[in-house]
Amino acid sequence: MERRRFLTGLGLAAAAASIGGTSWLMRPYLTEWLTPEPRWTPFDALTADDWDVCIIGSGPAGAVLGRDLVAQGIRTLILESGAATAEQLAGSRIQHLDAYRVEGNAGYPLAATRARTPGGTSTMWTGRCSRLHPLDFEPNAYTPPGAEWPVRYDELRPYYARAERTLRVHGGRLSHYHAPRRDPLPPAEEPTSGALKALLEGIGITTDLSPTSVGAYGPGPVRARTDLLPAFTESTSGTLVAGATVERLATDAGGRVAAVEVRSLDGRTATLHPGVVVVACGGVESARLLLRSRSARFPAGPGNAGDQVGRSFMEHPNITLRGVMPEPKPDDVYELVRCHQFYDAFKRRGLGSVILRFIWLPGPERVLRIGATAEMRPRPENRITLDPTLRDGFGGPAAKLDFGFSDDDRRTLDAARTLIRDTFRRLGARDLSEEPMSWSHHHVGSCRMGDDPRTSVVDRDLRVHGSRNLYVLSSAVFVTAGAAHPTLLITALAHRLGRHLAARLRPGGVATTAAGR
């Protein structure tokens, strides 16, 4: 950072501290001066063969894992397909890399739900960070036959707590309807008068302010590009390259990734030979890369002996109804709260879980909006394959998504509508109407974790079945989606994988590092 900007930023930070810690007031003014930027390494540096771990993708999964590894002195490379700067983006072929075909009754806007850019989809997420519930990890009506979660909630609790610290999650003390936790979160920063919460408590509905990530630089949540990646590149063990698209993983007869084939935005190529490869490029591109990496050892792609790569893709559909309240809001504060009260109750009825959200708008219109985020059943028919006719900007096969609602999904959504309408009735609201369905932009499933290679793609340590040095890290590995936002669990799994890889790669570990070769 240029010295004058740094010193000015320190002065503003001191001013923020001197006015009683109201950092949310000062954050927009601090952004210009204190927002860090990671150090980018040019594509030509990829000619070297000196990385112990290569992470494909710079979103929260790759950024958190990368930070954990370099903290242990493990030489780590992060490859980001997106462009780092506007100059790099101008005239590049990046816009042609997002080639997708979607079929099915859901009308899913796949291209609009992705972000091929440094930091991944953390550039556009809202920061909501609820934990999945213990019931999600236990066998239930939505558990795929013969493919239950290989881990349970209690095993993930310490990693959840660490992920909340990493993502700077605030929310205060949560109701007992949330997943159990040892300590309360820091107080929520969202302004509220409590009027909405009190109104709903009057009809027996318990709500909370959403556990939410709070970024250190500017309004909004933690962003991988500004909050996570700079610490990675500050380490002498970390290297970050943008505009580097991995086209294929070449595996040897033993199932080990022997080479990573990379292409720059202007068409240059490089072949890398890292000790360990971690695919962390989301639910769609992770599956696509595995399917493109066929070999004599993996004729259907790594981890695909059971034909599971790309299958059971899930999302979080959102329904929202509006109603006119009998009285105007008693203050001018916009309020949003969420409710986990029906999460487990729906699942025990054989439905998908739901999280309700309530938005009360101040003003003369007296509008209350009640919505539900719903869980979809993991179905093998909802799958990602390689399109035989559509090609991306480099000539590779595009991803094709077959995606639709099942009868179980419709029953869950209908039950949520009934619950919302009953809530409006008890509140005395009138003139109800339903808004168009929306999506949460959460790509869940396609590379499921599990103990059985016939029903899963990666094992409990996220290592691809049949490979010694290939891992997948993203919400692609989730067995079920629950109704909670996936980024917190992705981050928890990143910390868990970081611990696993550090144990393997330290002297005396079982993995072969680049230096060891």
Side-chain angles (χ1 to χ4, degrees):
M1 189 182 299
E2 192 261 338
R3 183 173 181 271
R4 181 173 298 177
R5 290 180 61 200
F6 176 74
L7 293 176
T8 305
L10 286 181
L12 287 172
S18 69
I19 59 173
T22 54
S23 59
W24 63 272
L25 280 174
M26 295 299 297
R27 197 177 298 129
Y29 303 100
L30 293 172
T31 302
E32 179 183 356
W33 305 101
L34 290 181
T35 302
E37 181 73 9
R39 184 178 67 252
W40 304 99
T41 299
F43 185 87
D44 292 342
L46 294 180
T47 56
D49 181 18
D50 56 358
W51 290 285
D52 297 327
V53 179
C54 173
I55 301 172
I56 304 169
S58 69
V64 171
L65 176 61
R67 289 204 331 169
D68 284 2
L69 294 178
V70 297
Q72 299 289 321
I74 297 170
R75 289 165 297 179
T76 305
L77 168 69
I78 296 180
L79 298 177
E80 168 55 48
S81 179
T85 64
E87 291 79 11
Q88 192 177 24
L89 179 63
S92 75
R93 305 168 68 179
I94 189 170
Q95 62 270 25
H96 302 299
L97 295 179
D98 287 323
Y100 307 107
R101 190 189 307 279
V102 182
E103 296 182 359
N105 63 31
Y108 186 62
L110 177 58
T113 65
R114 296 201 67 257
R116 190 183 296 269
T117 185
T121 52
S122 73
T123 59
M124 61 184 184
W125 77 311
T126 60
R128 306 306 180 185
C129 286
S130 295
R131 299 183 182 188
L132 267 69
H133 288 208
L135 184 56
D136 287 314
F137 299 97
E138 300 166 3
N140 60 70
Y142 270 38
T143 303
E148 66 181 55
W149 280 89
V151 295
R152 293 291 187 264
Y153 178 77
D154 282 345
E155 180 181 339
L156 295 175
R157 284 179 74 161
Y159 299 104
Y160 259 134
R162 185 176 175 188
E164 286 165 345
R165 294 191 295 271
T166 297
L167 297 178
R168 295 168 48 89
V169 179
H170 290 57
R173 189 173 296 277
L174 304 174
S175 72
H176 68 279
Y177 291 109
H178 283 257
R181 55 184 310 112
R182 178 174 298 176
D183 300 310
L185 294 166
E189 289 200 349
E190 297 181 42
T192 178
S193 67
L196 179 54
K197 182 178 178 66
L199 176 73
L200 294 168
E201 285 178 349
I203 60 170
I205 293 179
T206 299
T207 62
D208 305 274
L209 292 174
S210 300
T212 301
S213 169
V214 178
Y217 311 101
V222 163
R223 312 288 184 188
R225 177 166 183 158
T226 56
D227 295 74
L228 301 174
L229 290 173
F232 171 79
T233 59
E234 285 172 5
S235 169
T236 57
S237 301
T239 301
L240 174 63
V241 179
T245 300
V246 176
E247 296 194 288
R248 183 173 176 271
L249 305 173
T251 53
D252 61 21
R256 183 181 175 281
V257 176
V260 178
E261 300 172 6
V262 192
R263 187 183 294 265
S264 70
L265 293 176
D266 58 7
R268 289 172 294 161
T269 60
T271 301
L272 313 179
H273 307 282
V276 171
V277 177
V278 180
V279 179
C281 45
V284 175
E285 291 295 335
S286 294
R288 180 187 180 220
L289 180 57
L290 294 184
L291 292 172
R292 291 187 62 181
S293 301
R294 297 174 180 176
S295 65
R297 173 66 177 83
F298 299 116
N304 205 22
D307 190 29
Q308 294 299 314
V309 173
R311 291 192 182 271
S312 300
F313 181 87
M314 295 165 278
E315 241 275 23
H316 287 136
N318 302 298
I319 58 172
T320 303
L321 279 72
R322 302 165 62 97
V324 178
M325 297 294 289
E327 300 292 338
K329 196 172 188 304
D331 53 60
D332 291 330
V333 178
Y334 166 94
E335 292 187 86
L336 186 154
V337 295
R338 280 182 168 83
C339 170
H340 281 239
Q341 184 172 338
F342 306 97
Y343 191 111
D344 289 356
F346 265 52
K347 185 157 285 189
R348 291 193 174 98
R349 290 168 53 187
L351 303 168
S353 56
V354 297
I355 296 176
L356 297 186
R357 65 186 178 281
F358 301 83
I359 302 174
W360 201 0
L361 302 175
E365 295 184 359
R366 296 179 286 168
V367 174
L368 175 66
R369 301 170 72 230
I370 305 178
T373 298
E375 175 182 13
M376 295 183 70
R377 176 179 288 279
R379 297 193 305 139
E381 298 86 351
N382 286 343
R383 66 181 303 191
I384 297 157
T385 56
L386 299 180
D387 194 297
T389 59
L390 183 63
R391 298 283 164 171
D392 65 19
F394 290 147
K400 178 177 179 287
L401 173 62
D402 291 282
F403 186 62
F405 290 114
S406 68
D407 290 341
D408 290 326
D409 299 329
R410 295 188 182 94
R411 278 192 286 270
T412 297
L413 293 172
D414 286 342
R417 289 187 181 95
T418 298
L419 174 61
I420 292 172
R421 290 183 181 276
D422 180 66
T423 301
F424 272 124
R425 178 188 60 79
R426 294 160 66 196
L427 292 171
R430 57 179 177 79
D431 298 336
L432 303 189
S433 62
E434 184 168 349
E435 299 177 0
M437 179 178 290
S438 64
W439 297 93
S440 301
H441 300 187
H442 301 156
H443 298 166
V444 181
S446 78
C447 298
R448 175 193 298 157
M449 68 188 301
D451 294 327
D452 189 343
R454 296 171 299 179
T455 58
S456 59
V457 176
V458 301
D459 66 15
R460 63 178 56 239
D461 293 320
L462 306 186
R463 183 173 58 86
V464 172
H465 291 303
S467 178
R468 291 184 297 162
N469 69 334
L470 177 60
Y471 294 78
V472 176
L473 172 63
S474 82
S475 50
V477 306
F478 292 12
V479 176
T480 54
H485 291 54
T487 305
L488 184 65
L489 180 54
I490 292 171
T491 305
L493 291 175
H495 285 310
R496 183 172 177 267
L497 179 58
R499 181 177 180 180
H500 168 77
L501 289 179
R504 290 194 63 187
L505 296 173
R506 69 169 58 104
V510 298
T512 301
T513 66
R517 291 198 308 279

